[in-house]
């Protein structure tokens, strides 16, 4: 009921914003008619052109709310989730039982944050990074020294770009390995990576409609592949030692938990990108539930399966050979499916393509991050930056293909820190300073630096929180004095500390800033 009351309070404000935005939309339509023939052809094929411009109230008409479940389910129902589970025993030395307990409880906790941010899209019609401007500000078009206070949004946009490109690199490596494993040596990992990247690029290039269609269709073949793998190899999983006899250390549990949290919390910075077309009156509880289940179901199931498979591998010669000394997840999966012959190779190909659902959605969000980072990029169509994102990730995937486990562990642990602080800042802004009212966001100010916060409070809160986060880190390349004893608790510290720091800093910012 509270959601419905909030909706009624903000409807008039949103409709007023929509009427003003509609004039811009009409102008855009006029420009579209003047577009070159090739561009009109792309649009007629269903290619989405909209970038960072918010969706007006009247244009938020999508009522197929269940689609958000399939977006997140397909994004996470892939071999990256499977491989993340293997880190528990391989990197942190946890038993199967302890690995699965960490996976279960920390995912149940961590998935709530990105699931909640999915509920903002229908209310605001804004991309996630665009909405972030109401806390972090929007930098002006000119690089003026006296206007540097507006540049807060650049930092989360850059960090999010790094995180999104990192996920694409990891997914491309896994997909390329799996695809190459079925060729009996005739295809290199590099060729496999290129194929995976190009397939994902085509899907992302098309945009919202094709993306949602693909996410609804991509998961059944993956489900079939894992069911067959369990059917023919499940008996070997009983050989996986479930308990080592020694209790796990707090350091190993919390460090693995940091990896698990980093895997999912970073979805917070792209959440509303996929819900901004939904009808504004949809229940927030419904969107939250669809999103939450889309995260926890595939992630928990496949991470636990990955941990079990990698622990059983030393006892199964074919699995051990497929996995090898380089940690070839694709080879392990191909070995698990090898008893069914040619059909197993076909299913391995399906598993390799499972990562395209994640890469395509990530490329989709990368487009808007480029446009938020450099506002003049908004003049270029959204899909151009799908190509740019691929051009960045592809060579790095090829270079990093043989250092997968080191890259995966360091990357997932590191990105969770900033995303945790980012989420806390947005929540404090929304519930404390705006009383949970979406109508308090001036929808006409989304692109006007003078009508948005300076961003100094958000930036200061995020940066200052790292004064305690850094001592709480435990990475291969760095151990803080606290993290060395407790394990990595950086993301657990970042969330409450950034939120607490933001309160007085934002009050100070509001005191001195005069919004137009």
């Amino acid at each position: 009921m509270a959601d419905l009351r909030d909706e009624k309070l903000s409807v008039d404000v949103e409709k007023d914003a929509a009427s003003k935005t509609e004039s811009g939309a009409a102008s855009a339509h006029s420009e579209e008619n003047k577009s070159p023939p090739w561009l009109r052809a792309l649009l007629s094929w269903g290619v989405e052109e909209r970038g960072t411009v918010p969706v007006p109230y009247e244009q938020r008409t999508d009522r197929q709310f269940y689609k958000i479940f399939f977006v997140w389910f397909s994004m996470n129902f892939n071999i990256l989730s499977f491989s993340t589970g293997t880190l528990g025993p391989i990197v942190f030395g946890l038993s199967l039982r302890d690995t699965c307990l960490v996976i279960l409880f920390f995912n149940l906790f961590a998935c709530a944050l990105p699931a909640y941010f999915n509920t903002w899209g229908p209310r605001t019609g804004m991309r996630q990074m665009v909405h972030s401007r109401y806390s972090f500000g929007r930098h002006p078009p000119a690089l003026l020294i006296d206007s540097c206070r507006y540049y807060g949004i650049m930092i989360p946009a850059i960090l999010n770009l790094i995180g999104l490109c990192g996920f694409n690199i990891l997914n491309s490596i896994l997909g390329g390995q799996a695809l190459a494993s079925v060729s009996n040596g005739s295809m290199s990992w590099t060729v496999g990576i290129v194929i995976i990247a190009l397939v994902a690029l085509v899907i992302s290039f098309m945009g919202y409609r094709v993306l949602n269609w693909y996410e609804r269709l991509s998961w059944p073949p993956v489900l079939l592949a894992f069911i067959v793998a369990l059917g023919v190899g499940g008996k070997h999983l009983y050989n996986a030692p479930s308990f080592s006899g020694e209790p796990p250390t707090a350091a190993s549990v919390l460090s693995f938990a940091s990896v698990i949290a980093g895997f999912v919390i970073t979805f917070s910075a792209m959440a509303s990108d996929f819900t901004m077309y939904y009808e504004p009156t949809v229940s927030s509880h419904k969107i939250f539930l669809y999103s939450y289940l889309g995260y926890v179901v595939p992630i928990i199931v496949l991470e636990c399966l990955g941990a079990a498979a990698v622990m059983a591998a030393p006892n199964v010669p074919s699995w051990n050979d497929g996995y090898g000394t380089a940690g070839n997840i694709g080879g392990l999966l191909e070995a698990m499916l090898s008893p069914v012959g040619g059909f197993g190779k076909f299913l391995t190909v399906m598993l390799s393509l499972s990562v395209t659902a994640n890469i395509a959605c990530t490329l989709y969000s990368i487009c808007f991050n480029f446009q938020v980072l450099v506002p003049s990029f908004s003049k270029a169509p959204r899909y151009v930056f799908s190509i740019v994102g691929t051009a960045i990730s592809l060579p790095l995937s090829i270079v990093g293909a043989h250092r997968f486990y080191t890259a995966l562990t360091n990357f997932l642990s590191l990105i969770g820190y900033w995303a945790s602080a980012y989420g806390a800042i947005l929540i404090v802004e929304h519930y404390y300073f705006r009383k949970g009212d979406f109508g308090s966001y001036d929808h006409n100010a989304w692109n006007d630096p003078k009508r948005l916060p300076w961003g100094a409070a958000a930036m200061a809160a995020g940066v200052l929180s790292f004064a305690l986060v850094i001592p709480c880190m435990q990475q291969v390349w760095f151990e803080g004095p606290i993290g060395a004893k407790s394990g990595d608790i950086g993301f657990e510290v970042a969330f409450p500390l950034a939120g607490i720091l933001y309160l007085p800093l934002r009050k100070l910012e509001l005191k001195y800033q005069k919004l137009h």
Side-chain angles (χ1 to χ4, degrees), residues 60-67 208 277-282 286-287 290:
R60 284 175 247 158
T61 56
D62 193 344
R63 295 183 55 84
Q64 295 178 317
F65 308 121
Y66 63 86
K67 292 191 298 188
Y208 180 80
Y277 287 100
Y278 289 168
E279 190 173 85
T281 56
V282 61
K286 179 181 290 187
I287 298 298
Y290 279 142

Side-chain angles (χ1 to χ4, degrees), residues 1 17 61 85 156 188 233 268 303 314 326 369-370 375 377 400 419 448 487:
M1 293 297 294
T61 56
S188 68
S268 300
E303 286 181 351
N369 276 262
F370 274 117
F377 284 176
D448 186 351

